Amino acid sequence: MQFLKEADKVKSVFRRNRILHGERHENDAEHSWQLALMAIVLSEHASPEVDVLHVVKMLLIHDLVEIDAGDTFAFDQAAVLSQREREEKAAERVFGLLPTDMAEEMRAVWEEFERQETPEARFAGAMDHLGGGVVPNCHHQGGCWREAGVTVERVKARNSAIAAGAPVLWKYAEGLIEEVQQEGFIRSSNAAIVSQESVD
Amino acid sequence: MQFLKEADKVKSVFRRNRILHGERHENDAEHSWQLALMAIVLSEHASPEVDVLHVVKMLLIHDLVEIDAGDTFAFDQAAVLSQREREEKAAERVFGLLPTDMAEEMRAVWEEFERQETPEARFAGAMDHLGGGVVPNCHHQGGCWREAGVTVERVKARNSAIAAGAPVLWKYAEGLIEEVQQEGFIRSSNAAIVSQESVD
């Protein structure tokens, strides 16, 4: 119960991206709900051996460390450098509120998600990139990618991790990213260079 | 995907109760996340035959009908009368956005939750009462029970449904309700009569 009450705090950790039907930023609790629902609805696109309950567990807890460590924008290189250390410390404290056996289990589930090595972790990771990045940002004309001036190459490099968990969904995501690029909301780094050269 | 985008709207359906660490009202998406996490953490208190993934599915989708039907306050008798009809219509439309086989599955999962007849539905129902009612309202000194002047008898009658899904958790919930009563934030209907008589 102490753990569950503490977990309630992720309702006040806000992310870079916005909800689809509105302009406000999304919080970690509703983000985690969305990914868990997405994993169930899209589970036919996971490898057949994937244990869906395990994926859902991962997704429900994957951002609890942000209660202490805060949301780290994936394209903020300085923040990403210190992310692992901040989040490990947070995992120690937050999962430590659970009874010992469950604390160890949840901590291991979180570590598994972070390492992205098992089929479950990869499918959960694909949900995170798709539901927490590609879908909302493409819906909002580039969203926080546009706001931060991230190039299409960096967007694709980061989100191509979707392919490791669900190849079909990466095709879908790539299509959405390319549409946003064609509409001019995010730019190619090559295009930037070419356009600079043509100015020169 | 059309279904998942539509489901995003529950992030804008606000409930009577408030988040634990703040004063703002909770939305249905973060509420559903919380119950799903709670079901996993407290699953040892469910009957041994309970399928936890099935419970989690129920909890993740149980409030999607509120996209159209809105949140119905359990102690608003007039609203409760029309609730079933409004929610059935909503279920038809919202789950109808899924491919046929999944639409039927999700609709059946929602119906199962509503009927409260299976061990999974009862455990999910217990989570809903505990996480969506007892814990936040007791944390906020009676919360929306106090605001609406609901008596302790009605609070107990409604939430005793927790006992059907998880007897140990009902003992815990009853204790919390009684504390709030002892602190004078919610009143007994008998106490009201007695106090009126003593005035007379």
Side-chain angles (χ1 to χ4, degrees):
Chain A
M1 270 300 162
Q2 204 192 341
F3 166 77
L4 289 168
K5 285 184 177 174
E6 184 68 20
D8 204 90
K9 289 185 183 165
V10 295
K11 294 175 186 168
S12 305
V13 177
F14 285 87
R15 298 166 43 81
R16 281 283 180 125
N17 67 278
R18 296 164 198 274
I19 61 172
L20 293 190
H21 307 277
E23 286 300 314
R24 75 163 173 82
H25 289 269
E26 181 180 53
N27 69 53
D28 274 346
E30 48 197 7
H31 162 67
S32 302
W33 162 78
Q34 179 151 49
L35 302 191
L37 178 62
M38 196 173 231
I40 287 170
V41 171
L42 300 178
S43 59
E44 59 176 317
H45 300 296
S47 314
E49 76 271 24
V50 160
D51 172 349
V52 179
L53 177 58
H54 198 67
V55 172
V56 166
K57 257 188 211 183
M58 262 182 213
L59 290 170
L60 291 174
I61 66 152
H62 81 291
D63 273 345
L64 289 182
V65 292
E66 297 189 359
I67 291 171
D68 290 348
D71 178 50
T72 305
F73 184 43
F75 296 99
D76 178 343
Q77 288 169 326
V80 167
L81 276 178
S82 66
Q83 184 177 8
R84 179 74 201 164
E85 197 187 326
R86 285 181 288 121
E87 294 191 348
E88 270 189 8
K89 218 169 137 186
E92 195 67 30
R93 186 187 74 78
V94 176
F95 296 122
L97 297 171
L98 285 162
T100 315
D101 55 340
M102 198 172 282
E104 281 168 12
E105 187 203 328
M106 289 297 185
R107 173 78 195 242
V109 169
W110 176 73
E111 291 284 358
E112 185 185 342
F113 176 77
E114 288 294 304
R115 281 197 304 272
Q116 289 291 302
E117 287 168 0
T118 62
E120 280 79 9
R122 288 186 181 134
F123 189 66
M127 297 299 103
D128 196 17
H129 285 299
L130 188 63
V134 176
V135 170
N137 285 325
C138 290
H139 181 86
H140 286 291
Q141 307 184 316
C144 59
W145 300 333
R146 173 175 42 77
E147 288 160 16
V150 183
T151 63
V152 68
E153 285 79 8
R154 289 180 69 203
V155 166
K156 280 195 178 182
R158 177 164 168 82
N159 287 290
S160 63
I162 295 172
V168 175
L169 297 178
W170 169 236
K171 284 281 152 226
Y172 169 76
E174 211 176 9
L176 290 181
I177 295 166
E178 284 167 5
E179 266 178 41
V180 174
Q181 179 190 8
Q182 276 153 25
E183 288 163 0
F185 295 116
I186 52 171
R187 291 195 316 172
S188 161
S189 56
N190 296 332
I193 292 162
V194 170
S195 114
Q196 213 181 341
E197 278 173 354
S198 68
V199 168
D200 292 344
Chain B
M1 270 300 165
Q2 205 192 339
F3 167 77
L4 288 169
K5 284 183 178 176
E6 184 67 21
D8 204 272
K9 288 185 182 165
V10 295
K11 294 176 187 168
S12 305
V13 178
F14 286 87
R15 298 167 41 83
R16 282 285 180 123
N17 69 278
R18 296 164 198 274
I19 61 171
L20 293 190
H21 306 279
E23 286 300 314
R24 75 163 172 82
H25 288 270
E26 181 181 51
N27 70 52
D28 274 345
E30 49 197 7
H31 163 65
S32 302
W33 163 78
Q34 179 150 49
L35 303 191
L37 178 63
M38 196 172 229
I40 287 170
V41 171
L42 300 178
S43 59
E44 60 176 318
H45 300 297
S47 314
E49 77 272 24
V50 161
D51 171 350
V52 179
L53 177 58
H54 198 68
V55 172
V56 166
K57 260 188 208 182
M58 264 182 211
L59 291 170
L60 293 174
I61 65 153
H62 81 292
D63 273 345
L64 289 182
V65 294
E66 296 189 0
I67 291 171
D68 291 349
D71 178 51
T72 304
F73 184 44
F75 295 100
D76 178 345
Q77 286 169 327
V80 167
L81 276 178
S82 66
Q83 183 177 9
R84 179 74 200 164
E85 198 187 325
R86 286 182 287 119
E87 294 192 348
E88 270 190 6
K89 221 170 135 186
E92 196 66 31
R93 187 187 74 78
V94 175
F95 297 122
L97 297 171
L98 285 162
T100 316
D101 55 340
M102 198 172 282
E104 282 169 11
E105 187 203 327
M106 290 297 185
R107 173 78 194 242
V109 169
W110 177 72
E111 292 285 356
E112 185 184 342
F113 176 77
E114 288 295 304
R115 281 198 303 273
Q116 288 291 304
E117 287 167 2
T118 62
E120 279 80 9
R122 287 185 183 137
F123 189 66
M127 297 300 102
D128 196 16
H129 286 298
L130 188 63
V134 176
V135 170
N137 285 325
C138 290
H139 181 86
H140 286 292
Q141 308 185 317
C144 58
W145 300 333
R146 173 175 42 78
E147 287 159 17
V150 183
T151 63
V152 67
E153 286 79 7
R154 289 181 68 204
V155 165
K156 280 194 177 181
R158 177 164 167 80
N159 288 291
S160 63
I162 295 171
V168 175
L169 297 178
W170 170 235
K171 284 281 149 228
Y172 169 77
E174 210 176 10
L176 290 181
I177 296 167
E178 285 167 6
E179 265 178 43
V180 174
Q181 179 191 6
Q182 277 154 22
E183 288 162 0
F185 295 116
I186 52 172
R187 290 197 315 173
S188 160
S189 55
N190 296 331
I193 292 163
V194 171
S195 114
Q196 212 179 342
E197 279 173 353
S198 69
V199 169
D200 292 343

